[in-house]
């Protein structure tokens, strides 16, 4: 939200554009968490997410001169990651969700949330179409507003809003049995 | 109710860090192939594109020119051989005419002798 304020990464971007390797490394470190999380939750496996993250940063390496600010860079990374992930998912008939060890990676486990509820939400997220999944991730992982999501995914604003509405309704309906139990637990 | 599910989604979708070894590998890889190196590659490709176009265009023009010259020379050669043939025919007619004149003269003088 404070994008208008001076961003220290703008300097690093300028240095990286002039060929400074260390500055490019700083940009990779600053954005790899977001790119990797988006890739992981879109594609479902760590290996695919790592491959996609690597491809995105390699593509950035060749396109750095067209990026004019860190804000633009964040937009570019989300756009390229989402579109590449959607393309990959469309090429594959079905998403493969693998071991439990990887499943725990799909959601952060640092908060005090119910693991059962999280597993259920993960399954529901995986059931969504690739564009709907991207919309939900950009909204709740990347904290973008619907207009920015529409720009990132090159999608009409009404489509973004209807994806959000339908996905949330579906999530609410399907987690209804789990949520009250959790609330009761918390209240005691 | 909507805020409830939304806050639950936000909590569930907090970004996760990649494995440490992957993060280091990625960093090493991007530093090995820095952005500065991609510039000359792009620059060269951009410079080579018009050069390739010019090469193709000049090759095509040379080909058209060669075909044109070849046709012109062929035409000239045919014209030349036509003139040569005409000259030969005229020469043959001239020789034949001379022979016929000689024969006529011989027949004429012989008939004059026998008539006298």
């Amino acid at each position: 939200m404070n994008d208008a304020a001076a961003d220290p990464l703008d300097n690093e971007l300028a240095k990286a554009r002039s060929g400074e390797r260390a500055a490019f490394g700083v940009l990779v470190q600053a954005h790899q968490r977001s790119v990797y999380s988006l890739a992981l939750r879109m594609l479902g496996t760590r290996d695919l997410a790592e491959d996609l993250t690597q491809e995105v940063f390699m593509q950035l390496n060749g396109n750095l001169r067209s990026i004019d600010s860190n804000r633009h860079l964040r937009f570019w990374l989300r756009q390229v990651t989402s579109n590449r992930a959607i393309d990959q998912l469309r090429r594959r008939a079905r998403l493969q969700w693998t071991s439990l060890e990887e499943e725990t990676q799909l959601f952060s486990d640092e908060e005090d949330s119910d693991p059962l509820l999280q597993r259920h939400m993960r399954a529901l997220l995986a059931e969504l179409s690739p564009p709907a999944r991207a919309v939900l991730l950009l909204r709740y992982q990347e904290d973008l507003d619907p207009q920015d999501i529409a720009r990132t995914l090159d999608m009409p604003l009404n489509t973004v809003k209807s994806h959000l509405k339908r996905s949330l309704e579906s999530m609410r309906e399907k987690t209804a049995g789990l949520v009250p139990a959790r609330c009761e637990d918390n209240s005691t | 109710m909507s805020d409830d599910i939304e806050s639950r989604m936000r909590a569930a979708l907090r970004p996760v860090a990649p494995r440490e070894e992957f993060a280091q590998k990625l960093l090493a890889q991007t530093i090995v192939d820095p952005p500065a190196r991609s510039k000359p590659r792009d620059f060269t490709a951009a410079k080579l594109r018009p050069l390739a176009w010019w090469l193709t265009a000049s090759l095509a023009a040379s080909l058209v020119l060669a075909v044109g010259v070849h046709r012109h020379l062929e035409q000239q050669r045919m014209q030349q051989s036509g003139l040569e043939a005409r000259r030969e025919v005229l020469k043959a007619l001239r020789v034949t005419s001379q022979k016929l004149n000689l024969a006529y003269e011989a027949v004429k003088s012989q008939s004059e002798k026998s008539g006298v």
Side-chain angles (χ1 to χ4, degrees):
Chain A
M1 294 296 125
N2 296 330
D3 286 334
D7 189 332
L9 286 175
D10 283 344
N11 282 336
E12 298 301 326
L13 178 65
K15 286 181 196 168
R17 287 175 64 185
S18 65
E20 214 175 284
R21 301 172 187 200
F24 190 69
V26 171
L27 295 177
V28 171
Q29 274 183 317
H31 295 290
Q32 65 181 4
R33 196 178 162 97
S34 162
V35 171
Y36 174 76
S37 300
L38 202 51
L40 181 67
R41 285 163 182 158
M42 282 296 291
L43 300 176
T45 72
R46 196 166 59 190
D47 288 345
L48 291 173
E50 286 180 352
D51 286 350
L52 181 58
T53 305
Q54 197 171 335
E55 284 169 22
V56 169
F57 282 108
M58 288 295 136
Q59 191 178 335
L60 172 66
N61 203 18
N63 285 272
L64 207 56
R65 282 185 300 159
S66 65
I67 313 282
D68 52 29
S69 66
N70 187 46
R71 186 184 181 178
H72 183 194
L73 176 60
R74 267 203 306 269
F75 170 80
W76 188 93
L77 288 170
R78 284 168 183 151
Q79 185 175 51
V80 171
T81 310
S82 307
N83 288 338
R84 275 177 171 262
I86 290 171
D87 286 348
Q88 272 195 38
L89 290 171
R90 280 181 177 153
R91 278 200 296 270
R92 282 190 291 156
R94 227 180 115 88
L95 182 61
Q96 292 173 340
W97 296 88
T98 52
S99 68
L100 268 174
E101 183 203 0
E102 284 187 0
E103 283 180 14
T104 57
Q105 276 259 321
L106 295 173
F107 289 88
S108 64
D109 47 11
E110 56 196 61
E111 75 282 353
D112 59 343
S113 53
D114 182 348
L116 181 67
L117 181 66
Q118 286 214 352
R119 195 171 301 153
H120 200 59
M121 288 175 100
R122 175 196 58 76
L124 293 175
L125 188 75
E127 280 173 14
L128 297 175
S129 69
R133 201 179 311 167
V135 166
L136 223 61
L137 286 170
L138 290 173
R139 179 78 186 107
Y140 296 109
Q141 179 190 295
E142 298 297 308
D143 210 22
L144 296 189
D145 61 34
Q147 274 184 332
D148 284 338
I149 298 172
R151 277 199 319 129
T152 304
L153 298 177
D154 196 20
M155 197 183 264
L157 181 60
N158 284 338
T159 311
V160 171
K161 286 179 176 172
S162 86
H163 274 311
L164 280 172
K165 191 167 178 275
R166 268 186 282 143
S167 303
L168 281 182
E169 273 171 12
S170 163
M171 290 269 179
R172 192 181 299 119
E173 234 172 69
K174 291 173 180 173
T175 56
L178 296 166
V179 173
R182 187 170 171 264
C183 291
E184 279 164 24
D185 286 347
N186 287 346
S187 64
T188 53
Chain B
M1 187 66 177
S2 169
D3 283 349
D4 201 35
I5 188 79
E6 286 191 312
S7 59
R8 223 166 263 131
M9 284 297 293
R10 279 198 181 89
L13 295 176
R14 278 191 196 129
V16 288
R19 288 179 301 150
E20 189 56 38
E21 56 267 44
F22 170 71
Q24 279 175 2
K25 196 180 103 186
L26 178 65
L27 201 61
Q29 223 161 13
T30 49
I31 283 175
V32 163
D33 190 16
R37 274 198 201 161
S38 62
K39 283 181 190 172
R41 197 168 52 219
D42 288 348
F43 181 69
T44 313
K47 270 204 121 178
L48 279 176
R49 218 168 292 132
L51 186 68
W53 188 89
W54 277 109
L55 270 173
T56 313
S58 53
L59 202 69
S62 313
L63 204 68
V64 168
L65 194 71
V67 168
V69 167
H70 176 75
R71 276 193 181 173
H72 178 72
L73 288 176
E74 186 73 12
Q75 205 171 7
Q76 267 193 335
R77 201 173 54 80
M78 281 179 75
Q79 208 169 6
Q80 200 66 35
S81 61
L83 285 171
E84 195 66 32
R86 184 168 170 253
R87 219 173 290 127
E88 291 287 318
V89 169
L90 285 173
K91 194 176 167 186
L93 284 172
R94 208 177 304 122
V95 169
T96 310
S97 162
Q98 283 172 352
K99 296 287 177 196
L100 282 171
N101 278 342
L102 282 174
Y104 173 74
E105 289 297 327
V107 170
K108 192 181 167 191
S109 62
Q110 217 164 17
S111 64
E112 277 176 359
K113 273 182 194 168
S114 61
V116 172

